[in-house]
Every structure is written in C-alpha cells, then in structure tokens.
Amino acid sequence: MLSTMQDVPLTVTRILNHGATVHGTSQVTTWTGESEPQRRSFREIGARAAQLAHALREDLGVGEDERVATFMWNNAEHVEAYFAVPCMGAVLHTLNLRLPAEQLTWIVGHAADRVIIVNGSLLGLIAPLLDRMPSVEHLVVSGPGDRSLLDGARARVHEYEDLIAAKPTDYDWPELDERRAAAMCYTSGTTGDPKGVVYSHRSIYLHSMQVNMSQSMGLTDADTSLVVVPQFHVNAWGLPHATFMTGVGMLMPDRFLQPAPLAEMIEAERPSHAAAVPTIWQGLLAELTAKPRDVSCMHQVTIGGAACPPSLMEAFDRLGVRVCHAWGMTETSPLGTVSRPPAHTIGTDEEFAYRLTQGRFPAGVEGRLIGPDGSRLPWDGESAGELEVRGPWIAGSYYGGAGGEDIRPEDKFSADGWLKTGDVGVISADGFLTLTDRAKDVIKSGGEWISSVDLENALMSHPDVAEAAVVAVPDEKWGERPLATVVLKEEATADYAALRDFLATRVAKWQLPERWAFVAAVPKTSVGKFDKKVLRRQYAHGELDVTRI
Ligand code: ADP
C-alpha cells in the first residue's frame, strides 16, 4: 500500500523559492577589496537568478540537461548561477580554477560545456585555453577584469549584467523530476584522472537538510558563514544550498583568499562560521601570529577535505574558535561524517580525542569497513579497513560523457553498489570514524602499515614546524619506508635529529622516518591539499635534498 502523502519533488527550485521568500532579507556579502563589500539579499539573488535563466534560455538557447559551466570565485553571481541553471532544467558544472590546462580542457570537452560563466578577473587563465575548448560557444563575463584578453576569441562574449538587465525578475520554473541532474563536479584528480560526479535535485535537497541539522553544521539565520571552500569544490560543501533553506548569511571572499584579507574580512564582517581545508587555516594562523586580531566571532569552523592536525585545533581553541572536523568527498556531496563528540564527553578529557576523529555518519549515510580479504570488519576501534559508504547523496556511478553510458569502475564501486572511498581507518564501537590514511598513501613497511597522517600530525605539533608531509618511498629492506618533508617556521632552529627525537616521544620507534628533507613549501593540489603524488615524483627524480639519519 502506498502512503497518502503528497509526492512533491525535492528540487533545487524549492530551495530557491524558500530562501528568496521566507529568508528574503538574508544576505550574500561579497568582498570587493574596496571600502564597501557588495551586499545582495536572498530576494535579489532569486530575482537575478530568474533573469539569468531567461537570458540563458532566450539569448543563448540553453536547453534541458545542457551543461552550463562556471569558472568563478565565490561570489553572489556564482550563487545566482547555482540556482538559475538547475532550476531551469539545465546542469550547473562548476570548473576548478586551479586545474592544470590539460585537465581543464579535457573536463570541459568531456562535459560538453557550451556556455561558461566566468569572472573577469579569471580571463587571463581561461582565454589562452579557449581554442582548445571547441564545445564552448558562449562566454558570459561577470565582474572586473580586462575584456581585451578575449579579443579574437572564437566564442561569443557577453556581459553578465547587460545580458540579464532587461529580463523579467520572475521565471515560470518547470516542475522537475527530483532524480534529474542538477549539478556536476569533477573530482580533483589527486589520485587519478578526474571523474564526473553528477548530483540530482533530490540529492542536493536531502544533503542540504542534513548539513543544516544541529549535529552537522547546525546554523540558523542568526549566523553568517564565511564560505572559503570554493564553490567549485563539491558545491562549497553544500553551503549555498543549505543556507537558502535556513537563512544563514553568506560572506564570500571572491578572489581575496590570502590570509591577510581573510583576517580583515573576519574582523570587519564578524562571521560566526567558516569552512575551509586545513591549509587555509594554517595560513590564517600564521597571519594572526604575525598580526593578532580578534577572530572569536567564529563560534564554529568546519574543517575537512584533509585530516585536521591536532595542533591546528588546539591553536584555534586558544583563539576562542571551535573547530568541527568533517570528512567527505566529491562523490559524497560531500558530507560523509561530522565530528560532534557524544554529549557525555563534553567538558571531559575525552572530548578532544573525539573532536579529532573524522566523526560519525549522519542519518542518510551508511558506512562499513572492508578488510584486505574482502570481509566486513567490526566497529571495534581496532580493525582497520577500507571505508565504503552508501546513501541518497552518495555517487553510484560516474558521468560517462555526452551520449555515453555512466561508468562504474570496480575499484570505485562494490558489486552491491557501495562507494569504495579509498580511505583507510577504524570505527569505534560508538560509531566514530578515524581515518589513518588514503589507501594509496599508506606506508607498507615490512608487512606493517604506517599511517602517514599520524606522523604528519605528530610533526606538526612541534613548535618549529609549519607544515609536514610524509610519503612512502621504496626501501630495499622494508619495501617502503616513510620520507618526512618538513617546512620550518621562520627563525626555527630545529634540525633533523631534534625532529626525530621529538617524533620518538609520540610514535613507535619502528615508524620513525630515516629519510628527511626540509622543503620551502609542501606542493598542494588544486583544492589546497598536500599533493603526495608530486612529492613521490620529486623523490623519484632526485629533486629533494634528502638526508638519512
Ligand atoms: P580528491 O580526491 O581529488 O582530493 P576530494 O575533495 O573528493 O578530491 O577528496 C576526498 C578525499 O579527501 C577523501 O577521500 C579523503 O581521503 C580526504 N579527506 C576529506 N576529508 C578528510 C578528513 N577530514 N580527514 C582526512 N581525510 C579527508
């Protein structure tokens, strides 16, 4: 028997309509680098999204399911595209600004993007590539930047504001099937070729509800979120959609992502929440050490995308800012786990250890650990295996390209449909996930596994260490051994022996690296994570100045 409930599709359009009316006065504030930021209400965003949809349909001929790409910073216009494109029945494809040219042109071709909405300040990056993007027919340019860079471009060039100016501020949005594609994002390819993940209206709707739950981000219309995580990095972790459900204000940094302007905007706009990968916060901490400012307005900072070093969490605690650690992937929309310690541990010695874990699965995400022999492992806090997840906002396949079938590689999806995350860890009896590594980053030394993350965390708790990345390198005797690459803070005095002695107080002796290299910076991926592929390559090519101790 079926229910008597209304079968209302869960669509991005419903999120937009809700935000633009019920929370119409909430604001998107975009940093401009000038004396005043740009402020736009959710009501105005809704009206301009309708105008943009008219322009895309009537002037550019964007049809159903067609991909409309964005090559943009986090800003109000990008939020407008976030709603206009899916709500009109097309598919928003956010392009990663920091990808190497070959990957970017490959992705645009694979998705068959015909329109790209681009920020003027990014024309220098995209203009030289247009000849290698034959599918692109229209460029819609928004915000300041040198338009002459597009002189002679094959694609037609439009000004965003001119295009939408005379259009009606409402749109007769179609009623869409909730399972239809709303947005897509390619994985950043840290561990291989980029793969297209396509989100549905339904997955975005349900994910947004979970983001808003108090055990996840739990923000309300009293909050403003500083959205540092790029809108091209898994939909800015769902924040633009989630905030339209609850009326949370958004503070958008646009291109001002360096530590100094970030500190400045926190001081000026006093956001109560912020979200970004650890490297951004390491940079901000260094800035705050050099030039102290009050950032305690940020009651909560969501850190994810890579493991949060304990030293980072402690440093933020000292500043009166509470870090909430979360784990996710492009394939998981991204909310996969969130670390909210159990109520009975709050205020006890146990609390900090819980906060450092990747956290618990929220309702809607199921997780299991699979051992090397394919067996399902118990949640006992000790049995380490690969994490697999499933749920309504978890990918079940990858985009196969225009006209192609979706693909389900065996190393990414189990026979019964779960996503193989490639992350290795343990789950405690009370459901807290602790990741020890990526399967590909684990150091296999003489039949034992060494966690690169444990070594990095231990090293980064040394007062002289700014950053540390540990990778596996081939070793004749042990198969693999850890190589520690370390960025020292300015005026630091520690040498390799001192760091090794320090590590010896924190990890087992057999895990101590013999190979050490001081580096000026740890190479980063396009979304700001340590790029271990590059480090391994540098080592293999003899490009690192390695000392054995
Ligand atoms: P890419 O795989 O290209 O880096 P994603 O952003 O999808 O792109 O990365 C997802 C991966 O990032 C996860 O599989 C995991 O390895 C890592 N990750 C994300 N959050 C955390 C976290 N809190 N702790 C440890 N690793 C994390």
Side-chain angles (χ1 to χ4, degrees):
M1 146 181 177
L2 293 178
S3 79
T4 62
M5 291 298 108
Q6 298 179 13
D7 194 10
V8 176
L10 307 177
T11 57
V12 174
T13 321
R14 296 214 143 74
I15 303 179
L16 169 64
N17 287 339
H18 180 80
T21 54
V22 173
H23 298 296
T25 55
S26 294
Q27 287 198 331
V28 178
T29 305
T30 305
W31 203 248
T32 56
E34 321 250 312
S35 55
E36 257 307 293
Q38 177 213 67
R39 299 185 200 278
R40 202 166 280 164
S41 71
F42 283 12
R43 184 173 298 125
E44 288 170 289
I45 297 267
R48 287 168 55 91
Q51 291 181 302
L52 176 60
H54 278 289
L56 291 174
R57 172 125 313 154
E58 292 148 24
D59 299 355
L60 273 53
V62 171
E64 289 211 338
D65 288 345
E66 211 171 273
R67 272 73 61 198
V68 174
T70 54
F71 195 74
M72 302 174 88
W73 304 109
N74 288 10
N75 52 42
E77 290 76 21
H78 206 168
V79 178
E80 288 158 14
Y82 255 54
F83 289 109
V85 176
C87 297
M88 66 188 281
V91 184
L92 177 86
H93 175 199
T94 49
L95 290 169
N96 183 332
L97 311 180
R98 305 206 179 84
L99 284 186
E102 310 77 61
Q103 275 191 27
L104 196 59
T105 50
W106 183 87
I107 287 172
V108 168
H110 191 257
D113 299 325
R114 199 167 63 85
V115 178
I116 304 184
I117 309 176
V118 54
N119 279 135
S121 52
L122 293 166
L123 291 177
L125 282 181
I126 204 153
L129 304 180
L130 287 172
D131 282 345
R132 289 150 65 189
M133 297 178 172
S135 63
V136 178
E137 292 172 24
H138 298 278
L139 282 179
V140 181
V141 188
S142 161
D146 180 4
R147 272 41 173 185
S148 72
L149 290 166
L150 292 173
D151 286 351
R154 189 188 35 78
R156 280 186 57 200
V157 179
H158 313 262
E159 279 296 325
Y160 186 97
E161 293 302 329
D162 296 349
L163 203 60
I164 72 169
K167 297 287 189 268
T169 52
D170 54 6
Y171 193 99
D172 189 12
W173 303 113
E175 185 70 279
L176 300 166
D177 184 327
E178 63 181 21
R179 292 164 303 177
R180 281 204 19 201
M184 68 191 300
C185 191
Y186 281 73
T187 60
S188 54
T190 307
T191 53
D193 280 343
K195 294 181 200 66
V197 174
V198 184
Y199 309 102
S200 66
H201 283 265
R202 171 187 156 85
S203 71
I204 290 177
Y205 196 100
L206 293 172
H207 179 262
S208 307
M209 292 193 78
Q210 180 52 257
V211 166
N212 283 322
M213 283 178 74
S214 53
Q215 279 187 321
S216 295
M217 289 196 203
L219 305 175
T220 74
D221 59 354
D223 288 294
T224 296
S225 177
L226 170 59
V227 187
V228 186
V229 52
Q231 285 184 255
F232 60 75
H233 189 201
V234 214
N235 298 325
W237 298 350
L239 281 164
H241 299 120
T243 54
F244 262 63
M245 278 188 169
T246 44
V248 178
M250 277 181 275
L251 174 58
M252 297 304 211
D254 198 78
R255 59 193 182 282
F256 305 97
L257 290 166
Q258 307 73 18
L262 282 179
E264 210 181 304
M265 64 189 89
I266 293 167
E267 218 178 15
E269 296 292 321
R270 314 215 31 89
S272 53
H273 174 256
V277 294
T279 43
I280 292 276
W281 301 121
Q282 299 277 24
L284 184 71
L285 275 180
E287 164 75 22
L288 292 174
T289 311
K291 193 172 168 200
R293 296 174 176 88
D294 179 11
V295 295
S296 61
C297 55
M298 295 195 295
H299 301 305
Q300 195 197 143
V301 166
T302 305
I303 294 192
C308 175
S311 50
L312 183 61
M313 200 175 272
E314 280 160 354
F316 268 116
D317 277 349
R318 284 194 292 275
L319 293 171
V321 175
R322 194 174 167 92
V323 167
C324 180
H325 192 200
W327 164 86
M329 307 168 68
T330 307
E331 290 89 332
T332 66
S333 291
L335 190 66
T337 59
V338 190
S339 193
R340 299 261 179 215
H344 71 269
T345 66
I346 307 287
T348 72
D349 292 347
E350 276 181 284
E351 185 185 357
F352 191 69
Y354 272 105
R355 287 173 62 203
L356 279 177
T357 70
Q358 273 68 19
R360 285 191 279 202
F361 304 107
V365 179
E366 293 168 72
R368 66 184 186 191
L369 286 179
I370 303 294
D373 59 356
S375 64
R376 194 164 169 170
L377 300 176
W379 290 13
D380 58 8
E382 283 174 12
S383 309
E386 180 178 356
L387 174 67
E388 296 188 356
V389 289
R390 77 171 171 194
W393 56 82
I394 312 283
S397 61
Y398 294 114
Y399 182 57
E405 292 269 302
D406 287 353
I407 47 172
R408 301 183 72 255
E410 267 177 28
D411 62 334
K412 289 291 183 178
F413 300 97
S414 70
D416 57 348
W418 292 57
L419 172 76
K420 298 182 179 180
T421 64
D423 288 321
V424 174
V426 298
I427 302 179
S428 61
D430 55 355
F432 281 79
L433 169 74
T434 300
L435 291 181
T436 44
D437 241 318
R438 283 189 170 195
K440 288 188 172 123
D441 291 337
V442 145
I443 303 154
K444 297 179 189 106
S445 171
E448 297 281 348
W449 284 8
I450 300 177
S451 160
S452 62
V453 174
D454 283 353
L455 292 175
E456 287 160 6
N457 283 344
L459 277 171
M460 284 194 274
S461 64
H462 189 286
D464 278 1
V465 174
E467 276 181 349
V470 178
V471 293
V473 295
D475 182 272
E476 272 186 17
K477 185 164 173 207
W478 300 104
E480 287 179 355
R481 289 296 296 160
L483 158 73
T485 59
V486 177
V487 182
L488 287 179
K489 289 183 183 161
E490 269 175 44
E491 289 164 33
T493 53
D495 57 11
Y496 296 130
L499 293 178
R500 193 184 144 97
D501 291 349
F502 178 81
L503 262 193
T505 63
R506 285 166 166 74
V507 302
K509 195 159 173 285
W510 61 272
Q511 301 189 345
L512 291 175
E514 302 77 22
R515 296 169 181 83
W516 293 78
F518 286 135
V519 290
V522 175
K524 306 280 179 350
T525 71
S526 58
V527 291
K529 305 183 194 185
F530 291 166
D531 199 336
K532 297 194 174 180
K533 242 185 351 198
V534 172
L535 276 177
R536 283 190 284 257
R537 198 171 55 225
Q538 288 175 341
Y539 179 80
H541 293 175
E543 290 162 17
L544 295 174
D545 186 9
V546 177
T547 299
R548 283 185 82 126
I549 56 165

